[in-house]
PDB file of all heavy atoms in Angstrom:
ATOM      1  N   ILE A 252      -6.984  10.853  -4.753  1.00  0.00           N
ATOM      2  CA  ILE A 252      -6.116   9.676  -4.738  1.00  0.00           C
ATOM      3  C   ILE A 252      -6.790   8.640  -5.633  1.00  0.00           C
ATOM      4  O   ILE A 252      -7.875   8.151  -5.310  1.00  0.00           O
ATOM      5  CB  ILE A 252      -5.915   9.129  -3.310  1.00  0.00           C
ATOM      6  CG1 ILE A 252      -5.118  10.136  -2.478  1.00  0.00           C
ATOM      7  CG2 ILE A 252      -5.224   7.762  -3.346  1.00  0.00           C
ATOM      8  CD1 ILE A 252      -4.932   9.748  -1.025  1.00  0.00           C
ATOM      9  N   ALA A 253      -6.179   8.360  -6.771  1.00  0.00           N
ATOM     10  CA  ALA A 253      -6.739   7.410  -7.723  1.00  0.00           C
ATOM     11  C   ALA A 253      -6.246   5.983  -7.459  1.00  0.00           C
ATOM     12  O   ALA A 253      -6.990   5.026  -7.630  1.00  0.00           O
ATOM     13  CB  ALA A 253      -6.392   7.826  -9.153  1.00  0.00           C
ATOM     14  N   ASP A 254      -5.000   5.864  -7.035  1.00  0.00           N
ATOM     15  CA  ASP A 254      -4.386   4.549  -6.839  1.00  0.00           C
ATOM     16  C   ASP A 254      -3.767   4.487  -5.444  1.00  0.00           C
ATOM     17  O   ASP A 254      -2.655   4.983  -5.228  1.00  0.00           O
ATOM     18  CB  ASP A 254      -3.317   4.306  -7.908  1.00  0.00           C
ATOM     19  CG  ASP A 254      -2.688   2.926  -7.799  1.00  0.00           C
ATOM     20  OD1 ASP A 254      -2.989   2.187  -6.841  1.00  0.00           O
ATOM     21  OD2 ASP A 254      -1.874   2.595  -8.685  1.00  0.00           O
ATOM     22  N   PRO A 255      -4.459   3.877  -4.485  1.00  0.00           N
ATOM     23  CA  PRO A 255      -3.939   3.841  -3.111  1.00  0.00           C
ATOM     24  C   PRO A 255      -2.663   3.023  -2.929  1.00  0.00           C
ATOM     25  O   PRO A 255      -2.057   3.063  -1.870  1.00  0.00           O
ATOM     26  CB  PRO A 255      -5.086   3.243  -2.290  1.00  0.00           C
ATOM     27  CG  PRO A 255      -6.043   2.680  -3.253  1.00  0.00           C
ATOM     28  CD  PRO A 255      -5.777   3.267  -4.593  1.00  0.00           C
ATOM     29  N   ALA A 256      -2.232   2.325  -3.963  1.00  0.00           N
ATOM     30  CA  ALA A 256      -0.976   1.578  -3.873  1.00  0.00           C
ATOM     31  C   ALA A 256       0.231   2.478  -4.111  1.00  0.00           C
ATOM     32  O   ALA A 256       1.358   2.088  -3.823  1.00  0.00           O
ATOM     33  CB  ALA A 256      -0.977   0.429  -4.883  1.00  0.00           C
ATOM     34  N   GLN A 257       0.000   3.687  -4.611  1.00  0.00           N
ATOM     35  CA  GLN A 257       1.088   4.622  -4.877  1.00  0.00           C
ATOM     36  C   GLN A 257       1.292   5.568  -3.698  1.00  0.00           C
ATOM     37  O   GLN A 257       0.404   5.738  -2.860  1.00  0.00           O
ATOM     38  CB  GLN A 257       0.789   5.442  -6.128  1.00  0.00           C
ATOM     39  CG  GLN A 257       0.759   4.642  -7.394  1.00  0.00           C
ATOM     40  CD  GLN A 257       0.579   5.527  -8.609  1.00  0.00           C
ATOM     41  OE1 GLN A 257       0.806   6.739  -8.554  1.00  0.00           O
ATOM     42  NE2 GLN A 257       0.173   4.935  -9.712  1.00  0.00           N
ATOM     43  N   ASN A 258       2.472   6.191  -3.665  1.00  0.00           N
ATOM     44  CA  ASN A 258       2.735   7.243  -2.687  1.00  0.00           C
ATOM     45  C   ASN A 258       2.277   8.574  -3.263  1.00  0.00           C
ATOM     46  O   ASN A 258       2.530   8.868  -4.438  1.00  0.00           O
ATOM     47  CB  ASN A 258       4.223   7.323  -2.355  1.00  0.00           C
ATOM     48  CG  ASN A 258       4.695   6.124  -1.575  1.00  0.00           C
ATOM     49  OD1 ASN A 258       3.919   5.465  -0.886  1.00  0.00           O
ATOM     50  ND2 ASN A 258       5.962   5.819  -1.684  1.00  0.00           N
ATOM     51  N   TYR A 259       1.615   9.375  -2.438  1.00  0.00           N
ATOM     52  CA  TYR A 259       1.193  10.719  -2.800  1.00  0.00           C
ATOM     53  C   TYR A 259       1.826  11.684  -1.810  1.00  0.00           C
ATOM     54  O   TYR A 259       1.605  11.570  -0.610  1.00  0.00           O
ATOM     55  CB  TYR A 259      -0.331  10.858  -2.734  1.00  0.00           C
ATOM     56  CG  TYR A 259      -1.062  10.174  -3.858  1.00  0.00           C
ATOM     57  CD1 TYR A 259      -1.188   8.794  -3.903  1.00  0.00           C
ATOM     58  CD2 TYR A 259      -1.630  10.921  -4.881  1.00  0.00           C
ATOM     59  CE1 TYR A 259      -1.865   8.169  -4.936  1.00  0.00           C
ATOM     60  CE2 TYR A 259      -2.319  10.305  -5.923  1.00  0.00           C
ATOM     61  CZ  TYR A 259      -2.429   8.929  -5.932  1.00  0.00           C
ATOM     62  OH  TYR A 259      -3.102   8.311  -6.968  1.00  0.00           O
ATOM     63  N   HIS A 260       2.617  12.606  -2.323  1.00  0.00           N
ATOM     64  CA  HIS A 260       3.230  13.640  -1.492  1.00  0.00           C
ATOM     65  C   HIS A 260       2.679  14.970  -1.997  1.00  0.00           C
ATOM     66  O   HIS A 260       2.838  15.295  -3.172  1.00  0.00           O
ATOM     67  CB  HIS A 260       4.753  13.602  -1.604  1.00  0.00           C
ATOM     68  CG  HIS A 260       5.440  14.568  -0.698  1.00  0.00           C
ATOM     69  ND1 HIS A 260       5.433  14.431   0.676  1.00  0.00           N
ATOM     70  CD2 HIS A 260       6.118  15.710  -0.959  1.00  0.00           C
ATOM     71  CE1 HIS A 260       6.104  15.438   1.212  1.00  0.00           C
ATOM     72  NE2 HIS A 260       6.526  16.227   0.239  1.00  0.00           N
ATOM     73  N   VAL A 261       2.002  15.712  -1.111  1.00  0.00           N
ATOM     74  CA  VAL A 261       1.336  16.960  -1.489  1.00  0.00           C
ATOM     75  C   VAL A 261       1.936  18.089  -0.657  1.00  0.00           C
ATOM     76  O   VAL A 261       1.456  18.395   0.432  1.00  0.00           O
ATOM     77  CB  VAL A 261      -0.191  16.870  -1.274  1.00  0.00           C
ATOM     78  CG1 VAL A 261      -0.876  18.138  -1.765  1.00  0.00           C
ATOM     79  CG2 VAL A 261      -0.765  15.641  -1.973  1.00  0.00           C
ATOM     80  N   PRO A 262       3.015  18.709  -1.146  1.00  0.00           N
ATOM     81  CA  PRO A 262       3.677  19.768  -0.383  1.00  0.00           C
ATOM     82  C   PRO A 262       3.014  21.127  -0.595  1.00  0.00           C
ATOM     83  O   PRO A 262       2.304  21.347  -1.581  1.00  0.00           O
ATOM     84  CB  PRO A 262       5.091  19.763  -0.955  1.00  0.00           C
ATOM     85  CG  PRO A 262       4.910  19.299  -2.352  1.00  0.00           C
ATOM     86  CD  PRO A 262       3.753  18.337  -2.338  1.00  0.00           C
ATOM     87  N   LEU A 263       3.302  22.031   0.325  1.00  0.00           N
ATOM     88  CA  LEU A 263       2.847  23.416   0.222  1.00  0.00           C
ATOM     89  C   LEU A 263       4.065  24.325   0.251  1.00  0.00           C
ATOM     90  O   LEU A 263       4.859  24.274   1.190  1.00  0.00           O
ATOM     91  CB  LEU A 263       1.922  23.774   1.382  1.00  0.00           C
ATOM     92  CG  LEU A 263       1.445  25.229   1.430  1.00  0.00           C
ATOM     93  CD1 LEU A 263       0.542  25.548   0.241  1.00  0.00           C
ATOM     94  CD2 LEU A 263       0.731  25.510   2.745  1.00  0.00           C
ATOM     95  N   VAL A 264       4.209  25.131  -0.791  1.00  0.00           N
ATOM     96  CA  VAL A 264       5.231  26.172  -0.863  1.00  0.00           C
ATOM     97  C   VAL A 264       4.464  27.475  -0.683  1.00  0.00           C
ATOM     98  O   VAL A 264       3.573  27.786  -1.480  1.00  0.00           O
ATOM     99  CB  VAL A 264       5.968  26.129  -2.225  1.00  0.00           C
ATOM    100  CG1 VAL A 264       7.018  27.212  -2.299  1.00  0.00           C
ATOM    101  CG2 VAL A 264       6.576  24.749  -2.450  1.00  0.00           C
ATOM    102  N   VAL A 265       4.784  28.251   0.375  1.00  0.00           N
ATOM    103  CA  VAL A 265       3.870  29.333   0.755  1.00  0.00           C
ATOM    104  C   VAL A 265       4.603  30.585   1.238  1.00  0.00           C
ATOM    105  O   VAL A 265       5.699  30.515   1.790  1.00  0.00           O
ATOM    106  CB  VAL A 265       2.884  28.818   1.842  1.00  0.00           C
ATOM    107  CG1 VAL A 265       3.600  28.503   3.148  1.00  0.00           C
ATOM    108  CG2 VAL A 265       1.721  29.759   2.054  1.00  0.00           C
ATOM    109  N   SER A 266       3.967  31.724   0.992  1.00  0.00           N
ATOM    110  CA  SER A 266       4.344  33.017   1.554  1.00  0.00           C
ATOM    111  C   SER A 266       3.036  33.677   1.984  1.00  0.00           C
ATOM    112  O   SER A 266       1.969  33.128   1.731  1.00  0.00           O
ATOM    113  CB  SER A 266       5.063  33.885   0.500  1.00  0.00           C
ATOM    114  OG  SER A 266       4.129  34.526  -0.347  1.00  0.00           O
ATOM    115  N   PRO A 267       3.086  34.850   2.613  1.00  0.00           N
ATOM    116  CA  PRO A 267       1.831  35.521   2.967  1.00  0.00           C
ATOM    117  C   PRO A 267       1.041  35.996   1.743  1.00  0.00           C
ATOM    118  O   PRO A 267      -0.094  36.429   1.871  1.00  0.00           O
ATOM    119  CB  PRO A 267       2.289  36.715   3.803  1.00  0.00           C
ATOM    120  CG  PRO A 267       3.633  36.349   4.324  1.00  0.00           C
ATOM    121  CD  PRO A 267       4.246  35.513   3.234  1.00  0.00           C
ATOM    122  N   TRP A 268       1.635  35.906   0.546  1.00  0.00           N
ATOM    123  CA  TRP A 268       1.012  36.474  -0.654  1.00  0.00           C
ATOM    124  C   TRP A 268       0.758  35.462  -1.761  1.00  0.00           C
ATOM    125  O   TRP A 268       0.125  35.789  -2.765  1.00  0.00           O
ATOM    126  CB  TRP A 268       1.880  37.610  -1.187  1.00  0.00           C
ATOM    127  CG  TRP A 268       2.224  38.538  -0.067  1.00  0.00           C
ATOM    128  CD1 TRP A 268       3.455  38.698   0.514  1.00  0.00           C
ATOM    129  CD2 TRP A 268       1.339  39.390   0.649  1.00  0.00           C
ATOM    130  NE1 TRP A 268       3.382  39.602   1.542  1.00  0.00           N
ATOM    131  CE2 TRP A 268       2.078  40.043   1.643  1.00  0.00           C
ATOM    132  CE3 TRP A 268      -0.023  39.662   0.554  1.00  0.00           C
ATOM    133  CZ2 TRP A 268       1.526  40.951   2.540  1.00  0.00           C
ATOM    134  CZ3 TRP A 268      -0.582  40.563   1.444  1.00  0.00           C
ATOM    135  CH2 TRP A 268       0.197  41.193   2.420  1.00  0.00           C
ATOM    136  N   ALA A 269       1.270  34.254  -1.651  1.00  0.00           N
ATOM    137  CA  ALA A 269       1.103  33.266  -2.711  1.00  0.00           C
ATOM    138  C   ALA A 269       1.393  31.873  -2.172  1.00  0.00           C
ATOM    139  O   ALA A 269       2.047  31.717  -1.145  1.00  0.00           O
ATOM    140  CB  ALA A 269       2.058  33.569  -3.865  1.00  0.00           C
TER     141      ALA A 269
END
Side-chain angles (χ1 to χ4, degrees):
I252 293 176
D254 183 354
Q257 294 185 18
N258 291 335
Y259 287 74
H260 184 68
V261 184
L263 176 66
V264 180
V265 67
S266 82
W268 311 109

